[in-house]
């Protein structure tokens, strides 16, 4: 019998899909997620993001794009259908209405930006530690987290 020795710290455990129109922040997030042994994919438009989500089924999806309400709803509902992984959405306005709409469209959590990228990655890793998201009811409790 042959026993294989592997270092669990070097095996990528999760795939993270970053959907962002902010190339500078994508580089930062890519580095931070890679340091945590995640495979990172990034897309800068809605159609490519939906295709990647369907093909890969990422463990977590991070959305940071300026989108109209219709585009945001289309993207979030498409991502939700494509993967069981949690969806974190960054919003630039601290408006309850935008957060509730994003949550109803499929976002598991909305984080108000600007925020510290390292804190965002820690929050994302906590979501990954919980495994796949479960069905949930929509409500105001726990909808908005400010970093």
């Amino acid at each position: 019998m042959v026993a294989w020795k592997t270092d669990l710290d070097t095996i990528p455990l999760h795939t993270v899909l970053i959907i962002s129109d902010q190339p500078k922040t994508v580089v930062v997030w890519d580095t931070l997620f890679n340091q945590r042994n995640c495979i990172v994919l990034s897309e800068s438009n809605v159609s490519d993001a939906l295709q990647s989500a369907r093909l890969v089924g990422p463990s977590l999806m991070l959305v940071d794009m300026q989108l109209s309400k219709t585009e945001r709803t289309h993207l979030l509902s498409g991502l939700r259908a494509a993967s069981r992984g949690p969806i974190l959405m960054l919003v630039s306005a601290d408006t309850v209405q935008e957060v509730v709409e994003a949550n109803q469209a499929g976002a598991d959590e909305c984080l108000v930006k600007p925020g510290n990228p390292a804190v965002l990655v820690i929050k994302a890793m906590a979501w990954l530690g919980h495994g796949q998201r479960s069905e949930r009811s929509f409500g105001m409790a726990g909808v908005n987290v400010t970093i």
Side-chain angles (χ1 to χ4, degrees):
M1 180 169 110
V2 176
W4 292 94
K5 181 179 178 185
T6 60
D7 184 359
L8 291 178
D9 290 338
T10 63
I11 299 172
L13 301 175
H14 300 289
T15 301
V16 176
L17 175 59
I18 299 171
I19 304 150
S20 178
D21 52 9
Q22 308 292 319
K24 290 180 182 179
T25 56
V26 170
V27 171
V28 173
W29 292 328
D30 184 272
T31 301
L32 291 170
F33 280 114
N34 275 315
Q35 289 173 349
R36 284 152 183 85
N37 297 320
C38 293
I39 298 169
V40 180
L41 306 171
S42 63
E43 297 294 355
S44 59
N45 67 63
V46 171
S47 61
D48 289 346
L50 291 172
Q51 182 178 10
S52 290
R54 283 189 296 271
L55 291 173
V56 175
S59 305
L60 180 124
M61 293 154 284
L62 175 62
V63 179
D64 181 19
M65 293 187 85
Q66 295 296 322
L67 301 168
S68 70
K69 179 182 174 182
T70 304
E71 291 171 319
R72 182 176 59 242
T73 300
H74 173 69
L75 174 62
L76 292 173
S77 61
L79 292 174
R80 188 158 182 86
S83 175
R84 300 250 328 129
I87 303 168
L88 304 182
M89 177 149 194
L90 296 172
V91 294
S92 57
D94 189 12
T95 62
V96 173
Q97 185 64 30
E98 184 178 356
V99 172
V100 169
E101 289 169 358
N103 186 259
Q104 289 174 337
D108 292 290
E109 185 166 358
C110 291
L111 304 168
V112 178
K113 62 181 185 177
N116 183 327
V119 171
L120 180 138
V121 171
I122 291 168
K123 181 74 125 163
M125 296 308 291
W127 272 100
L128 288 170
H130 292 299
Q132 296 180 339
R133 70 169 176 255
S134 59
E135 293 303 315
R136 61 187 170 31
S137 60
F138 297 105
M140 291 301 295
V143 170
N144 190 8
V145 173
T146 304
I147 58 171

